[in-house]
């Protein structure tokens, strides 16, 4: 762990953010899509997601910021700089949530970024470069897999047409859901697809227990582990539950459970570093008295080491082929992203901003994925983590303390200003 160094004259200590206003914004956003257990359900391109974006855009228009949207629905809120010709310093995250999501995952980074814009306004600070706050579309990938869809398309890692064609379980595709959302949002300037900027820094809750366990104020994120997303399908034959002997069945669900057992055993990692999750499984036709004729399930696979991830992915594709208990199996690769390391100059700027505020911090690799994975392919990128209670996330009990929320936003503000004044 890095010991805090006293603020040095070299570390520009920027304006103080307004932690009360930031917390108010977090609470206001948490009321949109609020669930009975204290979380949120604001899945991508739902009415709740649209309400959240509309609220943010209302706050932005009150400040006179320029707003725009790209063809995959990523939102951009721009605070002009002295020199409009310079590429902007970017920050951002996502407003969409998991179905049983928390009040901080993604939304914290959007609101911390918005707080930086408002803080600069309050202090009458004109920056050399423009600043853009990005709200990436469908980071969670819960309704429309894969995750980080909006940033992947903007980065050119996922073709726009492929993304627009992806359907949710009720058969609605991204294109029609996005059209419906845009029709509801305030009028936005259209902007082309693309990912460019001078630097990008994203604030996010850690979604793990390390910072809290080590009583750190912030985490200096040095990279993100790799992620593969697969869709597996087994085809059986619908049959009558009462009249069809078991030995005559092609039961896609029994075959799927057998296959998942094989996969779990085949990728077993004694060090428990590999992450293997089957989070969604659809049974067709889904009737209690009809033998399932088709099962589709998703695999989320992660590892910080690229070779280990590739080996596990190859094992999955090898096993998800041919037939299982008479049911043909097919596999589709939805996403393959390798582990990434952030730009060490941006990481150093974030670290300096944290030490400039005499904060306790440590370097950390992100187990969760983030849109910063894709910005890092085109823009010098870094991230700031803040602790969350017991590391709980993707759960309605997700929680963070106001003091930590404020600390992360303060480091974000200082780091963004430092990057402007001490070019990379
Ligand atoms: O899945 C993830 O890691 C992110 O929280 N969506
Ligand atoms: Mn997130
Ligand atoms: Mn998430």
């Amino acid at each position: 762990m890095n010991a805090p160094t006293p603020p040095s004259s070299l570390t520009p200590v920027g304006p103080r953010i307004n932690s009360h206003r930031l917390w108010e914004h977090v609470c206001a956003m948490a009321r949109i899509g609020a669930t009975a257990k204290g979380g949120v359900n604001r899945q991508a391109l739902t009415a709740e997601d649209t309400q959240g974006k509309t609220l943010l855009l209302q706050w932005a228009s009150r400040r006179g910021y320029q707003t725009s949207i790209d063809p995959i629905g990523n939102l951009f809120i721009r605070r002009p700089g002295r020199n409009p010709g310079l590429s902007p310093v970017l920050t951002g995250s996502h407003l969409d949530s998991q179905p049983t999501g928390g009040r901080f995952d993604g939304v914290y980074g959007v609101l911390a970024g918005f707080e930086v814009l408002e803080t600069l306004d309050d202090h009458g600070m004109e920056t050399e470069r423009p600043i853009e706050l990005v709200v990436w579309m469908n980071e969670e990938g819960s309704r429309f897999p894969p995750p980080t869809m909006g940033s992947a398309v903007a980065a050119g890692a996922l073709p726009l047409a492929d993304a627009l064609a992806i359907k949710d379980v009720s058969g609605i595709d991204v294109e029609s859901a996005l059209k419906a959302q845009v029709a509801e949002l305030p009028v936005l300037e259209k902007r082309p697809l693309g990912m460019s900027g001078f630097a990008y820094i994203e604030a996010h809750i850690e979604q793990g227990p390390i910072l809290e366990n080590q009583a750190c104020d912030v985490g200096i994120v040095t990279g993100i582990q790799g992620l593969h997303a697969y869709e597996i399908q087994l085809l059986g034959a619908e049959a009558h539950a009462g009249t069809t002997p078991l030995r005559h069945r092609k039961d896609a669900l029994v075959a799927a459970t057998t296959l998942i057992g094989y996969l779990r055993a085949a990728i077993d990692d004694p060090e428990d570093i590999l992450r293997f999750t089957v989070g969604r499984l659809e049974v067709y036709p889904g009737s209690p008295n009809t033998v399932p004729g088709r099962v589709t399930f998703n695999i989320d696979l992660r590892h910080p080491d690229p070779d280990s991830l590739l080996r596990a992915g190859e094992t999955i594709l090898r096993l998800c082929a041919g037939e299982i208990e008479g049911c043909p199996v097919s596999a589709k690769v939805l996403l393959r992203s390798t582990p990434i390391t952030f730009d060490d100059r941006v990481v150093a700027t974030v670290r300096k901003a944290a030490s400039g505020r005499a904060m306790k911090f440590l370097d950390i690799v992100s187990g969760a994925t983030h849109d910063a994975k894709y910005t890092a392919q085109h823009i010098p990128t870094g991230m700031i983590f803040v602790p969350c209670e017991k590391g709980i996330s993707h759960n309605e009990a997700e929680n963070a303390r106001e003091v930590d929320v404020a600390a992360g936003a303060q480091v974000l503000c200082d780091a963004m200003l430092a990057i402007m004044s001490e070019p990379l």
Side-chain angles (χ1 to χ4, degrees):
M1 181 188 330
N2 311 67
T5 43
S8 72
S9 56
L10 291 180
T11 311
V13 177
R16 273 232 166 269
I17 60 117
N18 181 329
S19 58
H20 175 71
R21 174 175 59 200
L22 172 55
W23 190 253
E24 287 297 299
H25 281 165
V26 168
C27 297
M29 206 50 91
R31 287 191 282 272
I32 298 177
T35 61
K37 290 190 194 164
V40 293
N41 181 3
R42 271 201 316 266
Q43 296 182 71
L45 304 179
T46 58
E48 295 75 15
D49 181 38
T50 305
Q51 283 163 32
K53 289 174 179 172
T54 302
L55 179 61
L56 180 70
L57 290 167
Q58 282 164 353
W59 295 338
S61 70
R62 273 208 306 250
R63 288 282 186 174
Y65 299 142
Q66 298 150 8
T67 55
S68 58
I69 188 168
D70 73 8
I72 191 61
N74 297 314
L75 290 185
F76 297 80
I77 294 173
R78 184 183 179 100
R79 182 178 188 269
R82 229 186 327 276
N83 186 337
L86 291 178
S87 60
V89 170
L90 300 163
T91 184
S93 196
H94 60 94
L95 285 178
D96 68 294
S97 81
Q98 289 284 327
T100 53
R103 297 172 296 139
F104 298 90
D105 179 357
V107 62
Y108 167 57
V110 170
L111 297 180
F114 191 72
E115 177 54 35
V116 170
L117 300 186
E118 295 205 288
T119 297
L120 298 178
D121 280 3
D122 293 350
H123 291 77
M125 289 182 72
E126 196 186 22
T127 53
E128 189 55 31
R129 293 178 177 275
I131 295 182
E132 282 193 346
L133 169 64
V134 191
V135 181
W136 300 107
M137 195 284 282
N138 188 27
E139 188 279 345
E140 292 291 0
S142 54
R143 179 185 177 195
F144 299 108
T148 59
M149 179 185 281
S151 52
V153 170
L158 176 63
L160 175 63
D162 293 3
L164 292 174
I166 289 170
K167 292 186 167 61
D168 67 9
V169 290
S170 59
I172 297 171
D173 63 20
V174 168
E175 184 166 22
S176 39
L178 179 56
K179 249 191 211 123
Q181 179 171 80
V182 172
E184 293 291 312
L185 290 174
V187 176
L188 294 162
E189 195 191 310
K190 297 267 186 289
R191 70 189 272 160
L193 264 190
M195 191 170 269
S196 66
F198 182 72
Y200 175 88
I201 306 180
E202 178 170 349
H204 205 287
I205 53 168
E206 179 200 337
Q207 299 179 292
I210 299 170
L211 295 178
E212 187 184 55
N213 291 346
Q214 310 234 3
C216 284
D217 301 304
V218 293
I220 316 298
V221 190
T222 56
I224 301 179
Q225 69 174 338
L227 181 153
H228 285 188
Y230 298 102
E231 182 183 90
I232 313 299
Q233 192 159 80
L234 295 99
L235 294 176
E238 283 98 285
H240 194 294
T243 58
T244 316
L246 296 194
R247 59 177 175 276
H248 292 165
R249 293 182 180 191
K250 290 188 175 188
D251 185 328
L253 183 53
V254 168
T257 52
T258 304
L259 174 57
I260 292 168
Y262 289 162
L263 291 169
R264 182 66 195 77
I267 57 97
D268 192 48
D269 170 15
E271 292 176 281
D272 196 10
I273 296 174
L274 182 75
R275 302 282 179 265
F276 169 88
T277 310
V278 174
R280 173 193 278 176
L281 183 141
E282 288 167 64
V283 181
Y284 178 82
S287 159
N289 47 4
T290 296
V291 175
R294 184 183 71 224
V295 163
T296 309
F297 65 86
N298 291 66
I299 296 174
D300 179 304
L301 187 75
R302 308 195 196 193
H303 200 288
D305 170 64
D307 297 335
S308 308
L309 182 60
L310 270 179
R311 271 196 304 278
E314 275 147 20
T315 301
I316 283 172
L317 293 177
R318 181 168 41 79
L319 290 173
C320 294
E323 274 193 5
I324 299 274
E325 296 174 7
C327 299
V329 188
S330 61
K332 199 194 295 178
V333 178
L334 297 180
L335 192 72
R336 270 185 164 175
S337 69
T338 57
I340 58 119
T341 304
F342 288 141
D343 182 292
D344 51 18
R345 300 163 302 172
V346 179
V347 172
T349 303
V350 171
R351 198 179 286 120
K352 206 160 117 183
S355 66
R357 295 282 176 183
M359 288 187 189
K360 254 174 78 177
F361 54 85
L362 55 69
D363 287 7
I364 187 167
V365 173
S366 178
T369 194
H370 302 283
D371 297 302
K373 164 180 67 184
Y374 285 110
T375 62
Q377 293 179 359
H378 299 269
I379 307 170
T381 291
M383 284 187 77
I384 302 161
F385 272 174
V386 296
C388 58
E389 199 174 309
K390 301 194 185 78
I392 295 171
S393 185
H394 284 197
N395 181 308
E396 291 157 292
E398 179 186 277
N399 194 24
R401 297 184 310 167
E402 184 172 353
V403 62
D404 295 326
V405 159
Q410 187 62 67
V411 172
L412 179 66
C413 187
D414 294 352
M416 288 175 73
L417 288 174
I419 269 180
M420 297 250 200
S421 54
E422 298 165 15
L424 295 174

